């Protein structure tokens, strides 16, 4: 993995270092005599760097653990094991009090514009929360700041006394963004920020996010299941499957020569807008049962659905490393990565789970 | 299932223990001179000393507490200050009355409540529905004793004046002696407890049934051609009963209160009236005994209801 | 580029909407009026005393009782009749309003306060705190109220304070349970996560994020607890466990009436009516408030009924 982790506190180009993070949830079984090990392996040994100023996208299907990982990064969840290092500081097991100054530097925008704002509070009060919690501005000064933030995200400052119910979905996301920006964080985690919005509004919000990144020097961890959205906003992309990272690459490289079969499948399912490519696209349909994070397959987790899987794949978990002749930035966790131009057409999985 | 029942049983015992301890605390820890309470304010110092000795008051509180628990475990609830009779004897005498009252009333209120609620639900917005709703509203705004007094006035006294002594108050005939007479003396008391609760249950049933009647699986049943009658009784009612049973568990405690008050109004020789009289006489052991016993009975009834619920709905067992 | 708020819809917050719904509820308005009248009566009780010339504890053994020593019925002198000791029933009933309202409001208020705090704390903190508090709630829900009131009064003696305390003690748990359940669902919402992310303290989250969202339920519960408290107080004073005679309370008037019910219908009817009317008014108001704050639960509205998942 590229990027240095600074040990002497000096500014390096890595803002967040995720090291071997594991997050498991214990599940209460509905059966009377439950197996003692009913555990959801949401995130299994993920190591990733987020570099200052970049937009790193985290993509994968529902249930792959991307949202959980994001919440681990901002410490909304405690880690089962592993470390999160934020700008040189290990925050993996910091107490709430120790976290307080760090919280100002990392914020999140949520997926659901309807659930992310308290319906009983006025929008101005919601945006003003960070100022109150960290005692940064009071009274008129706070109102001034709130209005400024509202303008920044494209809302009419006159509406700060309205309730969230009076705003549309896209506007509510803007409120959420304003709230997150109030403390001028370094890291913004965007958890599917446009998935719940109409396509026409999506573009507006994405543009806003891009403008804000330039203006304020933000670093984004952008989570999405939608590869078409990700393509236009990210610098690098990390693909997750069932709790593990299977491929990380600069965005152009990922879209032109993906290495991992799963990435290939995801890309092939993407709606294509360019008419000229539509003709020669074949969609890879993954056969086999969708797996359960409670009982993940051995070895490479994708092997039961992979058309290329061989015996080795069930035994040896592939490591994230350079494959073929890729640049050091492009790493893949696969024993039999795809070559340039290669694509998997619909085939039965080579090794189904017994 | 067994694990669930055992857990609930352990909890019930813990609650009864808690009650016993609280009772002990208020009766022995709070008053500065229990002996004086017993012996009367004009008792001589010597009498007081004898009383203290007899009640074991000269020993430290911890010892008294342990003795209290031991006696309780053996079913000894002490003796009445007034008559020296064992409290357990008194309770045994009164219990059938209160039990008859409670059981009859609860059957009555469930039948009336669920029945009325079902009618109201199936005839939504009709005159019957509105009438039932209004009557229900009026009844559950009334305290049990008031209903009792009104029943006494209208269904006993007015009839009596007109020459029909149908439901006189003040007596109790055991079921074993004559079921008819037993019921005759208990009808008005049953009604006074039942009517208030029935009102609540009719609203509850109505609401639950309305929820159920609009569910998809009911529509499916109807479209299959099953008669409306069957739809209502078998399918809808079964689901609607769950909140009713659940509510009943919560209400078992108030049955006790209703019984107490009704016994006073109708002069029935049950635990309630016994307790109220004991207060006037400052007969502490009786009050203590009845308190602990009632708590135990209510907790036991709750246990039964919970187990029944768990049998009906397996999700309950997870709690 | 400024995004505009939905321009042609009048902007109203959730509370304003609720008030509007209330305003259109006829039964609710009547109930509210009745309650105001009751409050007035309670406040102006001494006025009644002055106007009629009879105190609440004043016995008129000569003119108030018949030659046989039995209470007299409604007359010009005693508008609602007299009781067993020749006391003016009207004045006593009006003074009784004070007791009922005072206990009703104080006891419910206390119960709701305690129940809300406990419920939110149990729901928010979870874990051990939740388990302990939930158990406490279970205990109080399981136990019979009247029996305990009896036990307590036997030792401590009866009084208004005991009345309020006992009623509050046995009412808070049901509020607590409901509030806890609501808190459990509210805490999963993203805005609560956002508050945590901002570094808000537990107290701030409970008070500012959760409380306003349970407020609607709490208000409904308060209006429903009040009639229960009034009935409970009446029952307590009926058994002689509340205010000390000769202070009048509807319950103890009715208790006195037991001996005379065959000969003095007014003795039961008037205080009984007062009780029923007050409780009914609060019940109706409670229903209206509930409908105003949560129209989805209304089973009678003309709108199509939807089964909310």
């Amino acid at each position: 993995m590229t990027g240095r982790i600074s040990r002497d506190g000096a500014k390096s180009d890595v803002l967040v270092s995720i090291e071997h993070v594991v997050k498991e949830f214990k599940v209460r079984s509905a059966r009377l005599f439950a197996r003692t090990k009913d555990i959801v392996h949401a995130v299994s040994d993920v190591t990733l760097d987020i570099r200052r100023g970049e937009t790193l996208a985290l993509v994968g299907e529902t249930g792959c653990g991307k949202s959980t990982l994001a919440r681990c990064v901002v410490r909304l969840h405690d880690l089962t094991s592993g470390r999160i290092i934020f700008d040189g500081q290990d925050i993996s097991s910091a107490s709430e009090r120790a976290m307080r100054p760090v919280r100002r530097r990392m914020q999140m925008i949520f997926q659901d514009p309807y659930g992310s704002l308290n319906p009983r509070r006025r929008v101005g009060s919601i945006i003003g929360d960070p100022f109150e919690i960290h005692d940064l501005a009071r009274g008129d000064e706070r109102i001034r700041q709130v209005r400024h933030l509202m303008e920044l995200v494209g809302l009419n400052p006159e509406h700060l006394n309205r309730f969230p119910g009076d705003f549309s979905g896209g506007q509510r996301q803007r409120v959420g963004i304003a709230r997150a920006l109030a403390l001028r964080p370094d890291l913004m985690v965007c958890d599917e920020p446009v998935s719940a919005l109409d396509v026409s509004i999506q573009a507006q919000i994405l543009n806003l996010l891009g403008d804000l990144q330039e203006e304020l020097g933000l670093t984004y961890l952008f989570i999405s299941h939608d590869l078409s959205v990700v393509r236009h906003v990210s610098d690098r992309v990390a693909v997750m499957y069932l709790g593990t990272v299977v491929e990380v690459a600069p965005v152009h490289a990922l879209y032109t020569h993906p290495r991992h079969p799963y990435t290939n499948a995801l890309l092939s399912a993407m709606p294509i807008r360019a008419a000229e490519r539509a003709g020669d696209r074949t969609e890879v349909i993954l056969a086999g049962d969708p797996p359960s994070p409670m009982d993940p397959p051995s070895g490479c987790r994708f092997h039961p659905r992979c058309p290329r899987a061989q015996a080795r794949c069930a035994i040896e978990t592939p490591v994230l490393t350079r494959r073929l002749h890729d640049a050091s930035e492009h790493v893949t966790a696969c024993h039999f990565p795809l070559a340039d131009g290669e694509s998997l057409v619909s085939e039965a999985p080579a090794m189904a789970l017994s | 299932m067994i694990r669930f029942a055992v857990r609930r049983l352990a909890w019930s015992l813990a609650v009864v223990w808690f009650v016993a301890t609280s009772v002990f605390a208020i009766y022995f820890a709070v008053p500065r001179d229990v002996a004086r309470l017993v012996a009367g304010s004009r008792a001589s110092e010597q009498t007081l000393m004898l009383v203290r000795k007899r009640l074991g008051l000269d020993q430290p509180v911890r010892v008294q507490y342990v003795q209290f628990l031991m006696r309780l475990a053996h079913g000894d609830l002490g003796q009445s200050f007034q008559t020296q009779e064992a409290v357990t004897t008194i309770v045994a005498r009164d219990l059938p009355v209160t039990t008859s009252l409670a059981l009859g009333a609860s059957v009555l209120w469930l039948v009336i409540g669920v029945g009325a609620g079902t009618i109201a639900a199936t005839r939504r917005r009709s005159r019957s529905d509105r009438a039932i709703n209004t009557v229900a509203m009026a009844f559950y705004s009334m305290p049990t004793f008031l209903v009792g007094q009104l029943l006494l006035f209208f269904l006993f006294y007015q009839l009596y004046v007109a020459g029909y002594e149908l439901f006189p108050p003040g007596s109790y005939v055991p079921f074993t002696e004559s079921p008819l007479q037993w019921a005759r003396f208990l009808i008005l008391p049953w009604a006074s407890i039942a009517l208030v609760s029935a009102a609540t249950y009719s609203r509850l049933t109505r609401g639950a049934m309305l929820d159920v009647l609009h569910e998809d699986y009911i529509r499916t049943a109807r479209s299959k051609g099953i008669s409306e009658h069957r739809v209502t009784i078998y399918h809808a009612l079964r689901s609607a009963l769950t909140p009713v049973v659940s509510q009943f568990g919560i209400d078992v405690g108030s049955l006790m209160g209703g019984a107490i008050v009704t016994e006073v109004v109708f002069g029935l020789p049950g635990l309630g009236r016994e307790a109220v009289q004991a207060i006037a006489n400052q007969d502490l052991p009786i009050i203590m005994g009845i308190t602990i016993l009632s708590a135990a009975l209510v907790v036991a009834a709750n246990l039964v209801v919970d187990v029944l619920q768990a049998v009906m709905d397996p999700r309950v067992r997870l709690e | 580029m400024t995004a505009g708020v939905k321009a042609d819809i009048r902007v109203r917050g959730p509370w304003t909407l609720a008030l509007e719904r209330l305003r259109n509820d006829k039964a609710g308005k009547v109930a509210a009026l009745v309650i105001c009248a009751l409050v007035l009566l309670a406040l102006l009780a001494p006025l009644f005393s002055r106007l009629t010339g009879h105190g609440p504890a004043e016995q008129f053994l000569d003119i108030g009782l018949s030659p046989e020593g039995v209470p007299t019925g409604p007359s010009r002198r005693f508008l609602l009749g007299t009781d067993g000791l020749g006391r003016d029933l009207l004045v006593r009933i009006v003074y009784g309003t004070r007791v009922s309202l005072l206990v009703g409001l104080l006891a419910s208020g206390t119960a709701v306060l305690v129940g809300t705090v406990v419920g939110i704390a149990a729901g928010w903190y979870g874990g051990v705190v939740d388990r302990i508090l939930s158990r406490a709630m279970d205990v109080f829900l399981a136990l019979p109220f009247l029996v305990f009131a009896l036990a307590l009064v036997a030792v401590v003696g009866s009084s208004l304070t005991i009345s309020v305390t006992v009623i509050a003690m046995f009412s808070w748990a049901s509020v607590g349970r409901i509030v806890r359940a609501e808190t459990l669902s509210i805490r999963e919402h993203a805005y609560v996560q956002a508050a945590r992310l901002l570094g808000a303290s537990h107290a701030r989250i409970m008070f500012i994020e959760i409380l306003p969202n349970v407020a609607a339920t709490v208000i409904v519960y308060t209006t429903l607890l009040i009639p229960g408290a009034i009935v409970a107080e009446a029952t307590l004073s009926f058994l002689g466990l509340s205010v000390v005679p000769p202070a009048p309370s509807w319950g103890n008037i009715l208790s006195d009436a037991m001996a005379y019910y065959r000969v003095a219908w007014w003795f039961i009817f008037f205080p009984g009516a007062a009780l029923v009317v007050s409780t009914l008014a609060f019940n109706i108001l409670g229903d209206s408030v509930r409908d105003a704050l949560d129209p989805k639960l209304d089973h009678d509205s003309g709108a199509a009924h939807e089964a909310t998942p």
Side-chain angles (χ1 to χ4, degrees), chain B residues 102-183:
Chain B
L103 283 176
S106 35
V107 166
L108 200 59
W109 102 38
L110 281 175
V111 167
I112 298 181
V114 174
T118 312
I119 296 177
T122 51
R123 309 224 168 116
R124 192 171 144 196
R125 312 212 80 186
S126 71
R127 248 190 299 166
S128 337
D129 181 18
R130 276 194 230 272
I132 292 182
N133 208 34
T134 321
V135 169
M137 271 274 220
F139 269 113
Y140 84 49
S141 304
M142 289 198 237
T144 313
F145 70 83
L146 184 60
V147 177
Q149 287 180 314
L150 290 175
L151 285 175
L152 207 52
F153 183 74
F154 287 110
L155 289 183
F156 161 64
Y157 184 59
Q158 297 297 349
L159 291 178
Y160 172 71
V161 160
Y164 304 99
E165 187 169 352
L166 281 179
F167 309 116
S171 334
Y172 172 76
V173 173
F175 182 76
T176 43
E177 249 180 63
S178 159
L180 199 64
Q181 291 296 333
W182 171 79

Side-chain angles (χ1 to χ4, degrees), chain C residues 50-140:
Chain C
R50 201 126 44 90
L51 284 178
T52 53
H54 309 141
E58 229 182 309
Q59 302 177 8
F60 297 90
L61 298 166
D62 41 353
I63 43 169
L65 296 177
S66 73
E68 296 90 14
V70 147
T72 56
S75 63
R76 281 251 321 257
R77 185 90 203 253
F78 298 103
L79 284 172
L80 295 182
T82 57
D83 74 355
L85 292 174
R87 296 178 289 201
D88 186 345
L89 212 52
L90 171 65
V91 174
R92 282 182 70 81
I93 292 179
V94 170
Y95 269 86
T97 317
R98 295 187 151 188
V99 174
S100 291
L101 284 181
L102 197 67
V103 175
L105 294 170
L106 260 180
S108 325
T110 314
V112 163
L113 201 69
V114 174
T116 306
V117 168
V118 171
I120 293 184
W124 173 248
Y125 284 113
V128 177
V129 174
D130 183 15
R131 258 184 295 169
I132 297 180
L133 291 178
S134 289
R135 289 293 187 207
M137 290 194 270
D138 286 345
V139 168
F140 279 98

Side-chain angles (χ1 to χ4, degrees), chain A residues 74 76 100 103 107-108 110 115-121 129-130 132-134 154-156 159 162-163 165-167 171 174 179, chain C residues 1-6 11-15 189-191 193-201 204 208-210 212-213 216 293:
Chain A
V74 292
L76 273 181
R100 239 171 153 248
R103 292 239 175 268
Q107 282 299 312
M108 191 160 164
F110 297 85
S116 58
L117 304 177
N118 188 335
R120 302 257 177 206
R121 295 181 63 195
D129 250 355
E132 180 161 346
I133 295 174
H134 294 270
L155 289 169
N156 182 348
H159 294 150
R162 302 272 166 97
F163 288 93
D166 303 324
F167 294 86
Q171 286 157 354
R174 292 175 196 264
R179 172 179 60 191
Chain C
M1 187 257 303
T2 311
V5 173
K6 302 178 219 183
V11 172
R12 294 168 297 184
W15 296 111
H189 285 154
Y191 58 84
Q193 310 286 315
R196 281 183 59 202
L197 207 50
L198 285 172
S201 65
R204 186 189 166 83
I208 294 192
E209 305 291 345
I210 300 185
N213 286 285
L293 287 172

Side-chain angles (χ1 to χ4, degrees), chain B residues 27 124 141 149 203 206 298, chain C residues 142 151 254 283 287 299-300:
Chain B
Y27 280 83
R124 192 171 144 196
S141 304
Q149 287 180 314
R203 287 186 119 214
R206 178 179 181 276
V298 168
Chain C
L254 283 165
N283 273 323
D287 270 1
H299 290 291
D300 280 333

Side-chain angles (χ1 to χ4, degrees), chain C residues 143-166:
Chain C
L143 298 175
F145 151 71
L146 205 50
V147 176
F148 269 79
L150 275 173
L152 206 60
V153 167
V155 180
V156 183
S158 69
S159 70
L160 195 63
T161 326
I162 285 283
S163 214
V164 173
T165 312
V166 172

Side-chain angles (χ1 to χ4, degrees), chain A residues 268-299:
Chain A
S268 75
M270 228 171 77
I272 294 187
R273 292 191 201 98
E276 71 275 10
R277 296 262 301 284
D280 48 35
R281 176 177 78 142
T282 31
E283 196 171 320
V284 175
I285 300 168
L286 292 175
D289 299 319
S292 156
M294 280 179 27
D295 192 13
S298 59

